[in-house]
Amino acid sequence: MPRLSVIVPCFKVQGFLRECLDSVLEQSFHDIEVIAVDDRSPDGSGAILDEYAARDPRVKVLHLPENVGLGRARNAGLPYATGDFLLFLDSDDSLTPGALRAVADRLAETGDPDVLVFDYARTYWWGGTRRNALAEVLSATDGVFTAAERPEILDLLMVVWNKAYRRDFVEENGFRFPPGYYEDTPWTFPVLLSAARIATLDRICVSYRQRRQGSILSTTSRKHFDVHEQYKRVFAFLDGRPELAGWRPCLHRKMGEHCLDILAKPDRLPPAARAEFFRRTAELYRAFRPEKTTEATATAETTDAVGTVGAAGADLGVLGGSYASYRLREQAGRAARAGGRQAQRVRQAAQGRARRALTGLRGLRSPDENLVLYSAASHQGLRGDPAAVYRAARELAPQLRGVWVVRDAEVAAELPAGVDHVLLDSPEYLRLTARAKFFVNDVNWPGTLVKRPGSVHVHTHRGTPLKYLGADLLGKPGARLGFDVPQMLRRADRWDHSLVANRHSELVWERAYPCHFASARTGSPRNDVLVTGGPTDFRARHGIPADHTVVLYAPTRRDYVRGGHVDRIDLARFAADLGEGHTLVVRLHPALATGPARGLGLAELHRRGIVVDATGEPHAEEVMLASDALVTDYSSLMFDYANLDRPIVVHADDWAAYTASRGAYLDITAEAPGHVSHSYRELAWLFGSGGWRDAESARLRADFRSRFCEFDDGRAAERVVRTLLLGEPMPEPPGRVPGPAGARDLLAST
């Protein structure tokens, strides 16, 4: 008996079916069976299913004699399923790598609940990906619960394919799919309300394909009237379960919101059918209105008000009036939204006038010699090189007023106490940018900022360059997709000083940014703490034992895939292969921190204590200081990490594809800071054999440090403040490269 049964109904999906089946059969978890149901598909789907069944005994194929529709095709597959748990996968969707292993592990961890709810991401026909907007609902508990204990579980998309169901639970309750086109509704609500033990998995397990055409629910048709019949079935289920009567107000509201959401979408109903759909919805809404007489109902209404919020934010009061009234409200809403957009344009025009007025002060007032504006990581607060310069300036030049530009009030609230700040594009921001003498940033300032004569722009960059940047991207159309190189260069024209940590960076910046700045051989201010051995509480905050060897894995993003994320190694396997006494810390590229990448397994592995997710840590230096070794592919983090003089392994299994798509200024596989692995087997061998820290790795690291840590001596921030902000003479760059605090040897500079 397999652990998991995956039921896949098929109808006119020959173009997507192989991808769907491969995503199931190529999972790392093999204790499965696939029940593929050919719903009398007129295309080649049936033949594809037979082909897969012939070569994989885990695939069972059922050919139906007639087309019965999605729900009843699922029903047809149920008697053939023998697994402990059931999953339903639509044949134009697919599982993400590692999904079934994560599902099986979570089922075991929670003691085989009745239902396990997992996450999904919409994948669009044009290549975009968007995670479920309510993903936080899935991360709010470690145990099992009921819908009454956590009613927000009903706020999730009411679909069947984002859950695993205990087969005995399904059989005991006789759950089956009705005919129709909203068949998931009368399945999912009864299942969740009946379940005594629900668990969640905060991991994207399904890629929910958003087809350009061909999807039934996105087709303009009268078939959408079927939603009314399906809700009648939901309320019939409640009528047969008196113990669930308290849920009636909640489901009554859900029904109204769902129907109004369908009506609000312009591509769902034929124009001639919209009034009829509204009337039928209003009739149904009145017919199933709950009586407000019982204590149970009152309790449920309270639960509904607190625990459920309609995704559409619908005003259900419109269902008490006429369709004409609904149309008037709809038109008023559109007008209000249009008015909001017009008001935004007016505000932007006013800001432009204010900006021009303030910049007109150029001929009247000289810049404030003691005012410094800072920004880092696109206005995300105290980070990187600008933060290091800011701290040094507060100590060495207290007469300088440092003000941070932050993007919104949320970022401002996270700033340390006593840090002067201003919100981007606010009136105060406009006033300060018109008066400031110094601007320190690691990302270009907005194009609306006008550089005044006498002001000084210090650009710190964000590390030593390995991949192509700036004007060099003009020859890499894939890498510069959506990136305006000429606009970026116009912004770079404002730079006065470009900080460099080595001669390699100096040459690259002058080539990639053909502008009029001067290179300042200061070193990287944020690396000062790596050289001097600054403190870090990272291990303590994440509960990492003091005697553990911490391996930091820091992959970069890829330009050859939309979204930039590619899983190059199995994190759970790597953590296991490192063995006892080791902790694997993972830090994804900052550009991937808020996308779906962490939901593809990293967040779940972090919750289970298998790895530590450091992607959201604002200060990369603290993470590096807490680690004993770095594994990376092509992240510029390796150039900073080399200052620590600790082992580095470069995992370069797709170097050819990476350089073809993005371009690189040097062959990191030939000039690596340590050993290079070209496959996971080689990577695991390096750590298993101890080769990651042998004499050869130390020799490679020494050569790398002498070249790329040339100007990092622990005093870079001081050098920036004294020479660029205070105007003191520029000292000679350091003649020797120091090791980190406590090191016994110094490496000669090249």
Side-chain angles (χ1 to χ4, degrees), residues 227-452:
V227 69
H228 299 135
E229 296 303 314
Q230 303 298 10
Y231 273 103
K232 289 179 183 178
R233 293 185 170 98
V234 172
F235 284 101
F237 175 81
L238 286 187
D239 292 340
R241 302 284 184 97
E243 70 276 12
L244 299 179
W247 285 102
R248 196 176 186 91
C250 170
L251 296 185
H252 181 251
R253 179 174 181 82
K254 292 288 185 186
M255 176 186 67
E257 290 170 343
H258 192 174
C259 293
L260 287 178
D261 183 56
I262 294 171
L263 186 61
K265 288 183 167 60
D267 59 346
R268 295 295 189 266
L269 295 161
R274 292 173 60 82
E276 180 186 354
F277 185 89
F278 176 87
R279 287 194 296 271
R280 289 197 187 183
T281 297
E283 291 169 2
L284 201 66
Y285 192 70
R286 290 192 295 270
F288 290 108
R289 187 187 304 276
E291 297 181 3
K292 302 181 180 179
T293 56
T294 67
E295 183 179 349
T297 301
T299 301
E301 287 178 328
T302 301
T303 300
D304 182 39
V306 174
T308 60
V309 178
D315 177 9
L316 300 181
V318 299
L319 293 174
S322 64
Y323 179 64
S325 299
Y326 166 79
R327 287 294 307 277
L328 287 174
R329 290 201 187 191
E330 190 180 45
Q331 292 167 2
R334 284 199 298 268
R337 289 189 292 273
R341 289 191 293 270
Q342 177 62 26
Q344 176 66 16
R345 287 192 288 269
V346 170
R347 285 194 297 271
Q348 290 174 344
Q351 289 173 352
R353 289 193 296 271
R355 209 175 277 118
R356 289 190 293 273
L358 287 168
T359 55
L361 296 172
R362 287 180 296 184
L364 300 176
R365 303 176 65 185
S366 60
D368 183 342
E369 297 287 334
N370 291 322
L371 178 58
V372 187
L373 291 191
Y374 295 91
S375 180
S378 299
H379 320 299
Q380 294 187 66
L382 272 73
R383 301 189 181 191
D385 288 317
V389 175
Y390 168 77
R391 295 188 184 99
R394 293 188 70 171
E395 178 182 347
L396 300 173
Q399 73 275 19
L400 296 179
R401 179 195 174 194
V403 180
W404 280 85
V405 178
V406 295
R407 66 185 181 188
D408 53 36
E410 183 178 351
V411 174
E414 297 175 353
L415 294 174
V419 174
D420 199 356
H421 65 275
V422 64
L423 297 184
L424 181 68
D425 285 336
S426 66
E428 181 65 4
Y429 164 81
L430 298 177
R431 189 185 72 81
L432 291 178
T433 55
R435 296 286 297 125
K437 170 73 173 183
F438 301 103
F439 295 79
V440 181
N441 199 348
D442 62 0
V443 179
N444 264 316
W445 292 95
T448 52
L449 191 154
V450 177
K451 187 177 191 299
R452 296 182 59 198

Side-chain angles (χ1 to χ4, degrees), residues 292-608:
K292 302 181 180 179
T293 56
T294 67
E295 183 179 349
T297 301
T299 301
E301 287 178 328
T302 301
T303 300
D304 182 39
V306 174
T308 60
V309 178
D315 177 9
L316 300 181
V318 299
L319 293 174
S322 64
Y323 179 64
S325 299
Y326 166 79
R327 287 294 307 277
L328 287 174
R329 290 201 187 191
E330 190 180 45
Q331 292 167 2
R334 284 199 298 268
R337 289 189 292 273
R341 289 191 293 270
Q342 177 62 26
Q344 176 66 16
R345 287 192 288 269
V346 170
R347 285 194 297 271
Q348 290 174 344
Q351 289 173 352
R353 289 193 296 271
R355 209 175 277 118
R356 289 190 293 273
L358 287 168
T359 55
L361 296 172
R362 287 180 296 184
L364 300 176
R365 303 176 65 185
S366 60
D368 183 342
E369 297 287 334
N370 291 322
L371 178 58
V372 187
L373 291 191
Y374 295 91
S375 180
S378 299
H379 320 299
Q380 294 187 66
L382 272 73
R383 301 189 181 191
D385 288 317
V389 175
Y390 168 77
R391 295 188 184 99
R394 293 188 70 171
E395 178 182 347
L396 300 173
Q399 73 275 19
L400 296 179
R401 179 195 174 194
V403 180
W404 280 85
V405 178
V406 295
R407 66 185 181 188
D408 53 36
E410 183 178 351
V411 174
E414 297 175 353
L415 294 174
V419 174
D420 199 356
H421 65 275
V422 64
L423 297 184
L424 181 68
D425 285 336
S426 66
E428 181 65 4
Y429 164 81
L430 298 177
R431 189 185 72 81
L432 291 178
T433 55
R435 296 286 297 125
K437 170 73 173 183
F438 301 103
F439 295 79
V440 181
N441 199 348
D442 62 0
V443 179
N444 264 316
W445 292 95
T448 52
L449 191 154
V450 177
K451 187 177 191 299
R452 296 182 59 198
S455 65
V456 177
H457 284 239
V458 178
H459 194 78
T460 70
H461 301 283
R462 303 184 72 183
T464 293
L466 172 62
K467 59 190 176 185
Y468 278 8
L469 295 164
D472 291 326
L473 290 175
L474 291 172
K476 296 290 182 181
R480 63 179 172 88
L481 180 65
F483 181 64
D484 189 335
V485 174
Q487 180 190 72
M488 180 274 300
L489 293 179
R490 286 193 294 272
R491 295 180 179 184
D493 282 334
R494 297 174 297 195
W495 302 353
D496 293 290
H497 301 286
S498 167
L499 305 191
V500 298
N502 46 68
R503 297 170 207 263
H504 163 80
S505 295
E506 183 175 323
L507 294 174
V508 168
W509 298 142
E510 292 179 3
R511 162 182 161 163
Y513 301 102
C515 304
H516 299 290
F517 57 83
S519 294
R521 295 180 174 181
T522 58
S524 294
R526 71 180 182 280
N527 288 344
D528 287 347
V529 295
L530 303 181
V531 176
T532 60
T536 176
D537 64 348
F538 178 83
R539 287 193 181 219
R541 283 190 287 109
H542 292 278
I544 301 174
D547 61 344
H548 269 215
T549 297
V550 174
V551 177
L552 171 60
Y553 175 54
T556 192
R557 70 186 307 278
R558 266 56 175 183
D559 292 288
Y560 59 76
V561 293
R562 186 182 289 272
H565 178 67
V566 179
D567 283 320
R568 303 309 308 175
I569 64 174
D570 184 330
L571 297 177
R573 180 182 178 185
F574 188 32
D577 287 345
L578 287 174
E580 292 293 330
H582 293 75
T583 295
L584 178 61
V585 175
V586 181
R587 182 178 177 84
L588 301 182
H589 189 279
L592 303 175
T594 58
R598 296 166 81 180
L600 289 167
L602 179 55
E604 175 65 7
L605 292 175
H606 174 82
R607 185 194 64 78
R608 293 169 57 195

Side-chain angles (χ1 to χ4, degrees), residues 699-719:
R699 184 191 67 79
L700 293 169
R701 186 167 67 254
D703 291 343
F704 191 84
R705 289 183 65 246
S706 66
R707 179 178 178 187
F708 295 108
C709 301
E710 185 178 2
F711 305 142
D712 283 337
D713 64 346
R715 300 181 63 188
E718 176 188 356
R719 192 172 290 112

